[in-house]
């Protein structure tokens, strides 16, 4: 990239964005790639870069960001190893760290394998090598320490070193503890010099301790002597240490050779991982900027909605809408100083460059950005002391270069065009430059103070005025770009607000030409009309938003009511189904009991058996299916009067029976269901047709005994109003059913009353083989009116 292009990028502050991007990366290699990133002017390349970033953005939203920790640039060490060189422990650990990172990246991608993205080609080209990774980590503990288990030979050598060192220390420890030698020693300690064990001896007693002198203290009062008794042990340690070093070198050479054999695949994987790190850093920066994916075109059309300059504090920047290249190719922005004109220019240029680098943009959705081959900018104070050029001369030098380079695929941004010279000549020169750039086909955005350029924009098709809104009351810019409205200088209004004498301001106004005054007046009226329309539009927008919110709330409440109603219906159906099943089970149990009694030779029922049957019938009536009762009241009418021999259905029991006789009043009938004869209300009977009989016969697939075995049991039995005999018979039936249903605890309701029924029940429970324990109820359970029985 040439110096001129670099100048344009620097003027638009792309380097600051790239520095922010580098801070989002996890590896030095990716950070370097971020700082070297440059925009591309190829439409297909920009589309691909943005799609990569957007896919990474989407994957991060669902699965989090992959970890690139431990990714190092290991190209040079691996190429050296490939050529036969030996790597040190630190270099091998960096290779292992890179391999671990590659494996972690691939593992992360495997968790989201069901989602296809344009990044898959990069992920698929990464080759992991867990074997080499584990071998390096298994052999090397740190950059300076080889693991004992790196090889059997190294482990054996280190065991011998420890044994020889222990022998030498034992001899020296015995010497320093000896009363004879202690008087010759400066300190009763064992230390090392040059890797050999020595003792500190007083200088004047050096002849009393035979051995080799290895060192002396700075003062000369102490000499460090290796006693002759440990020379052999120290020599053995030194030999073993040399063997250890040779074995470590051999292991490093072996590991280096293996790393070198995989050099190309590891380097390729690390390169791709660094590229992925950069792409996910782009996505991460997009999250921090609250950015979106713009629509890209190559037609020079820019339509940015709620655009924010990314280098201005997000809490302070005011989003603005910017258009260029749609229905006009040149935008002339006017207005007072510090009004935000330059920020608008930089926003246009910087967001264009960011998109061409594959970065998401801090704009609202459905924004459009164009790809340009050249983004040319003349922004800021270009005064050059070196070249002895004035500000005007420096600006003209840059503009001359821009005129020589601009074409139909260029975006040109000019700040304070024509400033720094005579206003009349400057305005004429600025107009001529704009016309020349338009003839060359460029898209142009320029700022100026000249009223002549406002008139030029009003009179020239394809050129549009724009202004940055300024609040004269607070003397603060709002930074909103107003397209189609020329800016006012507001010099007189600002001077008044700052306290300048009214006479001075009035005299200044009188010196302005009538034509200029009239023009400013028209602009002022347009500004007032625009503000009024803006207020009305904002009020309409708020009303529409409130209406949409109210509609959404109403729809949400309606949906919630519908869901609640559906849940209640489901709950009612479940409860009704439970009651039906429970009642059917009780009826089946009674029928089974009657069938058993029928088989007995003695057809007469005992009082206990009658009581048991009566209790069962009463309990069945108490828990009858409420849905069936509702069906009785559902408007059903008999198609004809009942006759003896008709097959009917008892609605309460959902059982079929045969009519034996009908009362004279026609309101009751004697029916028989199995062996049971009962008098039922005609309103509780439904006439069964022949077709219904056949369906019922096909539906029956269970025997009475099987139905009883599957019947659900109550966890609660109500005995109130029964005699002791009836109650005890009912308790037996209740407990048998509970045991078959694997209930562990049941409740028997006997009421408080005189206590006779409670006493009889508890005496019976005491002797019952299925009862493990029983107790009276507590507060909230019914207290002394119930007994809680725990079953075995």
């Amino acid at each position: 990239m040439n110096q001129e292009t670099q100048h344009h990028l620097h003027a638009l502050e792309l380097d600051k964005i790239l520095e922010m991007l580098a801070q989002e990366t996890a590896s030095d290699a990716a950070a370097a790639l971020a700082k070297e990133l440059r925009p591309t002017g190829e439409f297909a390349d920009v589309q691909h870069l943005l799609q990569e970033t957007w896919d990474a953005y989407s994957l991060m939203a669902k699965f989090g960001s992959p970890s690139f920790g431990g990714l190092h640039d290991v190209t040079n060490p691996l190429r050296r190893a490939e050529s036969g060189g030996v790597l040190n422990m630190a270099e091998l650990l960096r290779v292992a760290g890179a391999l671990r990172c590659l494996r972690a990246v691939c593992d992360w991608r495997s968790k989201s394998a069901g989602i296809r993205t344009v990044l898959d080609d990069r992920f698929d080209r990464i080759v992991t090598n867990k074997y080499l990774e584990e071998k390096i980590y298994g052999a090397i503990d740190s950059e300076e320490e080889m693991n004992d288990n790196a090889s059997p030979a190294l482990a054996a050598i280190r065991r011998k070193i420890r044994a020889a060192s222990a022998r030498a220390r034992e001899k020296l420890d015995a010497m320093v503890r000896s009363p004879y030698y202690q008087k010759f020693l400066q300190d009763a300690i064992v230390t090392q010099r040059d890797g050999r064990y020595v003792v500190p001896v007083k200088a004047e007693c050096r002849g009393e301790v035979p051995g080799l002198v290895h060192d002396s203290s700075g003062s000369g009062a102490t000499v460090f002597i290796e006693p002759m008794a440990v020379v052999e042990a120290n020599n053995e340690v030194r030999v073993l240490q040399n063997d250890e070093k040779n074995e470590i070198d051999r292991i490093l050479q072996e590991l280096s050779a293996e790393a070198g054999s995989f050099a190309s695949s590891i380097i390729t994987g690390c390169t791709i991982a660094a590229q992925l790190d950069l792409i996910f850093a782009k996505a991460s920066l997009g999250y921090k900027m609250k950015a979106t994916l713009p629509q890209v075109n190559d037609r020079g059309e820019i339509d940015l909605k709620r655009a924010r300059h990314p280098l201005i504090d997000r809490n302070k920047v005011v989003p603005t809408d910017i258009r260029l290249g749609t229905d006009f190719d040149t935008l002339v922005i006017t207005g007072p100083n510090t009004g935000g004109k330059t920020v608008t220019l930089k926003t246009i240029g910087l967001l264009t460059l960011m998109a061409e680098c594959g970065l998401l943009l801090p704009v609202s959705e459905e924004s459009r950005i164009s790809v340009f081959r050249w983004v040319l900018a003349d922004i800021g104070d270009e005064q050059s002391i070196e070249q002895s050029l004035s500000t005007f001369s420096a600006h003209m030098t840059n503009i001359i270069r821009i005129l020589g380079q601009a074409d139909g695929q260029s975006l040109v941004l000019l700040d304070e065009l024509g400033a720094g010279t005579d206003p009349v000549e400057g305005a004429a020169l600025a107009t001529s430059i704009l016309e020349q750039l338009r003839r060359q086909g460029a898209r142009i955005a320029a700022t100026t103070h000249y009223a002549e350029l406002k008139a030029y924009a009003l009179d020239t098709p394809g050129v549009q005025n724009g202004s940055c809104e300024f609040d004269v009351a607070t003397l603060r810019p709002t930074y909103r770009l107003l397209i189609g409205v020329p800016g006012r200088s507001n010099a007189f209004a600002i001077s008044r607000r700052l306290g300048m004498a009214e006479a001075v301001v009035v005299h200044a106004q009188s010196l302005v030409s009538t034509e200029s005054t009239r023009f400013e007046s028209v602009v002022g009226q347009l500004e007032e009309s625009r503000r009024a329309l803006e207020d009305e539009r904002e009020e309409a927008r708020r009303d529409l938003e409130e209406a949409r919110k109210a509609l959404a709330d109403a729809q949400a409440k309606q949906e919630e009511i519908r869901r609640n109603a559906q849940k209640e219906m489901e709950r009612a159906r479940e409860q009704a189904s439970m009651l039906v099943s429970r009642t059917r089970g009780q009826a089946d149990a009674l029928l089974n009991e009657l069938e058993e009694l029928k088989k007995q030779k003695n057809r007469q029922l005992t009082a206990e058996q009658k009581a048991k049957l009566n209790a069962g019938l009463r309990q069945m009536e108490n828990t009858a299916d409420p849905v069936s009762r509702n069906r009785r009241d559902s408007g059903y009418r008999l198609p004809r009067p009942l006759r003896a021999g008709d097959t009917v259905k008892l609605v309460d029991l959902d059982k079929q029976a045969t009519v034996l006789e009908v009362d004279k009043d026609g309101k009751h009938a004697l029916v028989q269901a199995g062996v049971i004869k009962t008098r039922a209300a005609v309103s509780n009977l439904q006439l069964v047709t022949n077709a219904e009989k056949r369906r019922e016969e096909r539906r029956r697939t269970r025997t009475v005994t099987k139905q009883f075995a599957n019947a659900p049991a109550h966890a609660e039995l109500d005995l109130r109003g029964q005699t002791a005999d009836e109650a005890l018979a009912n308790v037996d039936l209740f407990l048998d059913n509970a045991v078959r249903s694997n209930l562990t605890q049941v409740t028997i309701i006997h009421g408080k009353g005189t206590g006779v029924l409670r006493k009889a029940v508890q005496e019976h429970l005491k002797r019952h083989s299925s009862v493990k324990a029983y107790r009276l109820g507590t507060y909230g359970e019914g207290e002394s009116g119930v007994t809680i029985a725990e079953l075995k």
Side-chain angles (χ1 to χ4, degrees):
M1 179 172 289
N2 58 39
Q3 187 174 357
E4 287 186 21
T5 304
Q6 188 66 32
H7 164 81
H8 297 304
L9 301 183
H10 179 74
L12 294 170
E13 301 178 293
L14 180 64
D15 53 327
K16 295 179 181 179
I17 297 295
L18 298 182
E19 186 63 37
M20 292 170 61
L21 178 61
Q23 293 175 5
E24 296 297 320
T25 60
S27 62
D28 293 339
L33 290 176
K35 293 177 181 178
E36 296 168 1
L37 194 61
R38 294 296 178 266
T40 176
E42 297 297 328
F43 176 64
D45 292 344
V46 173
Q47 281 188 312
H48 183 71
L49 289 173
L50 284 172
Q51 190 60 50
E52 283 185 332
T53 306
W54 186 248
D55 284 351
Y57 188 94
S58 301
L59 289 174
M60 285 176 63
K62 296 178 181 177
F63 307 103
S65 177
S67 173
F68 294 95
L71 182 62
H72 302 286
D73 184 3
V74 291
T75 302
N76 290 336
L78 285 174
R79 291 303 182 199
R80 196 167 73 250
E82 189 179 30
S83 302
V86 179
L87 307 185
N88 58 37
M89 286 185 276
E91 291 172 327
L92 285 168
L93 284 176
R94 282 196 288 275
V95 171
L99 288 172
R100 176 174 289 179
C101 173
L102 296 181
R103 185 162 57 87
V105 169
C106 290
D107 289 345
W108 177 89
R109 184 63 182 112
S110 65
K111 296 177 183 177
S112 57
I115 301 176
R116 306 303 297 173
T117 69
V118 297
L119 301 174
D120 291 344
D121 179 61
R122 296 183 189 271
F123 281 108
D124 293 341
R125 286 162 53 202
I126 296 178
V127 178
T128 60
N129 194 332
K130 190 176 181 181
Y131 158 75
L132 180 59
E133 172 197 339
E134 292 182 342
K135 188 168 185 179
I136 294 174
Y137 278 128
I140 303 174
D141 285 339
S142 68
E143 294 185 358
E144 299 177 352
E145 183 65 27
M146 182 73 73
N147 192 299
D148 289 357
N149 298 321
S151 74
L154 182 62
I157 291 170
R158 286 184 172 176
R159 280 197 302 272
K160 293 177 182 179
I161 290 175
R162 288 191 290 270
S165 298
R167 290 195 299 272
R169 285 195 63 91
E170 286 175 2
K171 293 179 181 179
L172 291 177
D173 287 341
M175 178 179 291
V176 298
R177 290 195 300 269
S178 168
Y180 174 76
Y181 284 107
Q182 282 184 351
K183 58 180 175 288
F184 306 131
L185 300 178
Q186 195 71 262
D187 294 296
I189 60 172
V190 177
T191 184
Q192 280 188 326
R193 286 295 185 272
D194 297 328
R196 304 179 73 88
Y197 289 104
V198 296
V199 292
V201 180
K202 296 175 182 176
E204 62 272 18
C205 301
R206 60 185 299 176
E208 303 297 331
V209 181
L212 304 176
V213 178
H214 285 278
D215 197 5
S216 62
S217 64
S219 63
T222 304
V223 291
F224 297 92
I225 296 177
E226 179 186 4
M228 295 304 297
V230 297
V231 169
E232 186 62 29
N234 275 335
N235 287 340
E236 183 181 358
V237 171
R238 292 301 292 269
V239 171
L240 289 170
Q241 287 174 340
N242 189 55
D243 292 342
E244 177 190 29
K245 181 179 180 302
N246 291 336
E247 179 62 15
I248 289 174
D249 291 342
R250 187 196 68 77
I251 294 171
L252 291 176
Q253 186 172 12
E254 179 183 325
L255 292 174
S256 299
E258 286 211 55
S261 66
F262 297 109
S264 295
S265 64
I266 297 174
I267 292 171
T268 300
C270 290
T271 302
I272 295 172
Q275 294 169 355
L276 287 170
D277 187 7
L278 175 62
I279 293 171
F280 278 92
K282 292 179 182 179
S284 177
L285 185 61
Y287 267 108
K288 291 188 174 180
M289 290 183 177
K290 297 187 181 301
T292 62
L293 178 68
Q295 300 173 10
V296 185
N297 66 84
D298 57 355
R299 301 183 298 275
E301 297 176 359
I302 298 175
D303 187 3
L304 303 177
K305 303 179 186 300
R306 297 185 61 79
R308 307 180 305 276
H309 194 289
L311 296 177
I312 300 177
D313 187 346
R314 193 169 59 201
N315 298 321
K316 296 180 180 179
V317 65
V318 177
T320 187
D321 296 339
I322 302 173
R323 284 189 298 116
L324 177 63
T326 52
D327 49 344
F328 54 90
D329 56 45
T330 302
L331 179 64
V332 177
I333 306 173
T334 53
N337 289 330
T338 70
K341 300 190 302 298
T342 304
V343 171
T344 300
L345 278 191
K346 288 187 174 183
T347 301
I348 297 172
L350 183 56
L351 296 191
T352 300
L353 295 176
M354 287 173 60
E356 292 178 349
C357 290
L359 291 166
L360 304 179
L361 304 184
V363 296
S364 295
E365 295 179 354
E366 299 184 359
S367 293
R368 289 183 292 159
I369 197 77
S370 179
V371 177
F372 295 97
R373 180 181 298 174
W374 310 110
V375 179
L376 310 172
D378 178 59
I379 297 175
D381 186 0
E382 300 291 343
Q383 185 169 357
S384 173
I385 298 176
E386 248 180 51
Q387 300 179 11
S388 301
L389 297 177
S390 66
T391 300
F392 177 76
S393 300
H395 277 298
M396 284 302 106
T397 301
N398 288 335
I399 291 173
I400 290 169
R401 294 196 192 102
I402 290 173
L403 287 169
Q405 189 175 359
D407 57 16
Q409 295 182 340
S410 300
L411 172 64
V412 179
L413 306 171
L414 304 174
D415 190 27
E416 298 296 346
L417 181 60
T421 187
D422 178 76
V424 176
E425 295 179 354
L429 188 58
T431 303
S432 180
I433 291 171
L434 291 180
E435 289 180 345
Q436 179 60 35
L437 288 171
R438 293 190 68 210
R439 281 193 293 271
Q440 293 176 211
R443 298 293 187 271
I444 311 158
T447 67
T448 183
H449 282 288
Y450 294 136
E452 289 84 352
L453 286 182
K454 300 178 190 178
Y456 170 73
L458 287 172
D459 296 336
T460 307
V463 182
Q464 187 65 272
N465 268 305
S467 62
C468 288
E469 192 176 51
F470 190 87
D471 190 343
V472 178
T474 61
L475 298 182
R476 292 178 181 274
T478 66
Y479 297 105
R480 290 180 57 208
L481 178 65
L482 308 174
I483 294 178
V485 180
R488 303 175 62 192
S489 66
N490 293 310
F492 298 146
I494 293 174
S495 300
R496 283 194 177 95
R497 291 287 301 172
L498 293 175
M500 182 171 287
E502 182 65 21
V504 175
V505 176
V506 171
H507 181 62
Q509 288 176 325
S510 67
L511 297 177
V512 176
S513 66
T514 304
E515 186 175 331
S516 297
T517 303
R518 189 163 52 250
F519 179 80
E520 286 292 324
S521 176
V522 170
V523 171
Q525 292 173 6
L526 287 174
E527 178 71 7
E528 291 176 4
S529 299
R530 183 197 61 78
R531 287 180 182 273
L533 289 173
E534 285 281 337
D535 292 341
E536 291 177 5
R537 187 172 68 176
E538 181 62 23
E539 185 177 355
R541 188 192 64 79
R542 285 197 300 267
D543 292 343
L544 178 61
E545 193 67 28
E546 289 177 2
R548 286 175 177 171
K549 185 177 179 182
L551 177 61
D553 291 343
Q555 291 174 340
K557 288 180 180 178
Q558 184 181 15
E559 180 65 18
E560 184 179 2
I561 291 170
R562 188 191 64 78
R563 287 196 302 267
N564 290 339
Q566 189 173 0
K567 289 179 182 177
E568 289 298 327
M569 289 295 294
E570 289 295 330
R571 189 179 298 113
R573 290 191 188 100
E574 290 175 4
Q575 292 175 353
S577 178
M578 289 176 60
L579 288 172
V580 169
S581 299
R582 187 180 306 162
T583 306
R584 284 177 179 171
Q586 292 171 343
D588 290 341
L590 287 173
L591 291 174
N592 184 61
E593 187 75 17
L594 289 172
E595 291 290 340
E596 292 295 327
L597 293 173
K598 185 178 179 182
K599 294 176 184 178
Q600 297 175 5
K601 292 181 180 180
N602 182 9
R603 300 294 182 89
Q604 296 297 322
L605 299 179
T606 65
E608 183 179 355
Q609 290 170 336
K610 289 181 179 179
K612 186 184 293 185
L613 290 174
N614 289 333
L617 286 171
R618 187 158 43 248
Q619 184 181 8
M620 185 170 62
E621 290 173 359
N622 290 337
T623 60
D625 179 12
V627 177
S628 296
R629 291 197 191 103
N630 289 339
R631 284 200 298 266
R632 186 173 60 189
D633 298 331
S634 61
Y636 175 81
R637 295 290 181 270
L638 290 168
R640 61 173 175 78
L642 294 176
R643 295 190 294 265
D646 284 342
T647 301
V648 294
K649 182 168 69 174
L650 292 163
V651 177
D652 283 348
L653 299 179
D654 195 22
K655 301 293 288 186
Q656 286 191 3
T658 302
V659 178
L660 300 179
E661 64 180 35
V662 181
D663 291 354
K664 293 180 180 180
D665 58 4
K667 295 183 178 179
H668 294 82
L670 181 65
V671 298
Q672 182 172 359
V675 297
I676 297 178
K677 293 181 181 179
T678 184
R679 190 168 298 279
V682 172
S683 60
N684 190 39
L685 302 177
Q686 289 183 355
L687 186 63
V688 178
T689 64
N690 291 332
E692 289 174 335
K693 288 180 184 179
R694 289 193 295 272
R695 282 199 300 270
E696 181 67 13
E697 288 172 358
R698 288 196 297 269
R699 186 178 65 83
R700 293 178 181 173
T701 57
R702 298 182 300 167
T703 64
V704 173
T705 303
K706 185 176 181 182
Q707 287 177 337
F708 176 72
N710 292 333
H714 288 292
E716 186 179 283
L717 175 64
D718 190 352
L719 303 176
R720 289 174 293 184
Q722 300 179 18
T723 65
D725 291 337
E726 289 178 337
L728 296 181
N730 206 6
V731 167
D732 284 335
L733 180 63
F734 172 66
L735 292 177
D736 290 343
N737 199 12
V739 170
R740 283 194 295 272
S741 298
N742 296 321
L743 296 180
T744 59
Q745 181 176 295
V746 294
T747 301
I748 300 173
I749 305 172
H750 42 63
K752 298 180 180 178
T754 61
V756 174
L757 188 57
R758 178 180 68 244
K759 184 177 180 182
V761 168
Q762 292 187 350
E763 285 294 325
H764 189 66
L765 293 177
K766 186 185 300 183
R767 297 188 300 272
H768 201 285
S769 60
S770 299
V771 177
K772 181 178 180 182
Y774 64 90
R775 60 176 175 83
L776 287 175
T778 60
Y779 179 78
E781 292 180 331
E783 301 178 18
S784 61
V786 301
T787 296
I788 309 296
E790 183 179 354
L791 305 182
K792 294 179 180 178

Coordinates of all heavy atoms in Angstrom, one line a residue, residues 56 58-67 108 280:
A56 N -19.6 -15.9 12.1 CA -19.0 -16.0 13.4 C -19.8 -15.4 14.5 O -20.0 -15.9 15.6 CB -17.6 -15.4 13.4
S58 N -23.1 -15.1 14.5 CA -24.2 -16.0 14.8 C -23.8 -17.2 15.6 O -24.5 -17.6 16.6 CB -24.8 -16.5 13.5 OG -25.3 -15.4 12.7
L59 N -22.6 -17.8 15.3 CA -22.2 -18.9 16.1 C -21.9 -18.5 17.6 O -22.2 -19.3 18.5 CB -20.9 -19.5 15.5 CG -21.1 -20.3 14.2 CD1 -19.8 -20.7 13.6 CD2 -22.0 -21.5 14.4
M60 N -21.3 -17.3 17.7 CA -21.0 -16.8 19.1 C -22.3 -16.6 19.9 O -22.3 -16.9 21.1 CB -20.2 -15.5 19.0 CG -18.8 -15.7 18.6 SD -17.9 -14.1 18.5 CE -18.1 -13.4 20.1
A61 N -23.3 -16.2 19.2 CA -24.6 -16.0 19.9 C -25.2 -17.3 20.4 O -25.9 -17.3 21.5 CB -25.6 -15.3 19.0
K62 N -25.0 -18.4 19.7 CA -25.5 -19.7 20.1 C -24.6 -20.5 21.0 O -25.1 -21.2 21.9 CB -25.9 -20.5 18.9 CG -27.0 -19.8 18.0 CD -27.3 -20.6 16.8 CE -28.4 -19.9 15.9 NZ -28.6 -20.7 14.7
F63 N -23.3 -20.5 20.7 CA -22.4 -21.4 21.4 C -21.2 -20.7 22.1 O -20.4 -21.4 22.6 CB -21.8 -22.4 20.3 CG -22.8 -23.1 19.5 CD1 -23.1 -22.7 18.2 CD2 -23.5 -24.1 20.0 CE1 -24.0 -23.3 17.4 CE2 -24.5 -24.8 19.3 CZ -24.8 -24.4 18.0
G64 N -21.2 -19.4 22.1 CA -20.1 -18.7 22.7 C -18.9 -18.7 21.8 O -18.9 -19.3 20.7
S65 N -17.8 -18.0 22.2 CA -16.7 -17.9 21.3 C -15.7 -19.0 21.6 O -15.5 -19.5 22.7 CB -16.0 -16.6 21.6 OG -14.8 -16.4 20.8
P66 N -15.1 -19.6 20.5 CA -14.0 -20.6 20.7 C -12.8 -20.0 21.4 O -12.6 -18.8 21.3 CB -13.7 -21.0 19.2 CG -14.1 -19.9 18.4 CD -15.2 -19.2 19.1
S67 N -12.0 -20.8 22.0 CA -10.9 -20.4 22.8 C -9.6 -20.5 21.9 O -9.4 -21.6 21.3 CB -10.7 -21.2 24.0 OG -9.4 -20.9 24.6
W108 N -14.7 -27.3 19.7 CA -15.8 -26.3 19.8 C -16.7 -26.4 18.5 O -17.9 -26.3 18.6 CB -15.2 -24.9 19.9 CG -16.2 -23.8 19.9 CD1 -16.8 -23.3 21.0 CD2 -16.7 -23.1 18.8 NE1 -17.7 -22.3 20.6 CE2 -17.6 -22.2 19.3 CE3 -16.4 -23.2 17.4 CZ2 -18.3 -21.3 18.5 CZ3 -17.1 -22.3 16.6 CH2 -18.0 -21.4 17.1
F280 N -13.4 -14.1 14.5 CA -14.2 -14.0 15.7 C -13.9 -12.8 16.5 O -14.8 -12.3 17.2 CB -13.9 -15.3 16.6 CG -14.7 -16.5 16.1 CD1 -14.1 -17.4 15.2 CD2 -16.0 -16.7 16.5 CE1 -14.8 -18.5 14.7 CE2 -16.7 -17.8 16.1 CZ -16.1 -18.7 15.2

